[in-house]
Amino acid sequence: MQIKLIPLQMHGDERGSLIALEQDKNIPFEIKRVYYLFNTVEGVRRGFHAHKNLSQVVIAVRGSCRFLLDDGKEKINLLLDNPAQGLLIESAIWREMYDFSEDCVLMVLANNFYDENDYIRNYDDFLKTYG
Ligand code: TYD
């Protein structure tokens, strides 16, 4: 499956911690968009889509949430709970996010602008194309 956990170097001392994200360095693409999810509601599941052509890196900068990742052939569940870890999700992967902690802040970097036409929001359509 076209996913990868990217270790992010943490610069920490007695004043606190700092992590830098750099295009084509620890983030393996051109960063065109950054968005973040917060005020998520416990028990609510979201995502339910794949992208035709988009790479994203997701970081739980605070708190945690679980991911279901599915390339049409295989499903993977993973917990994202470490701000020093980036989850790279390439195109054509169905994702659902759930079990958000109350304090969860998920930051997402993407290699393109928001484009609703790039979304596949129907799971059967996803399976027809990629399954
Ligand atoms: P949505 O795709 O439903 O979020 P999720 O996949 O996390 O469940 O997006 C929620 C709303 O935000 C929807 O109306 C589209 C809008 N949106 C943007 O305007 N720009 C963006 O970059 C993103 C990701 C979403």
Side-chain angles (χ1 to χ4, degrees), residues 33 35 37 46-49 56 97 114 116 119 121:
R33 176 166 53 116
Y35 62 94
L37 281 92
R46 57 185 301 168
F48 295 98
H49 66 258
Q56 294 185 298
M97 292 94 85
Y114 175 72
E116 189 55 40
Y119 280 70
R121 292 196 182 269

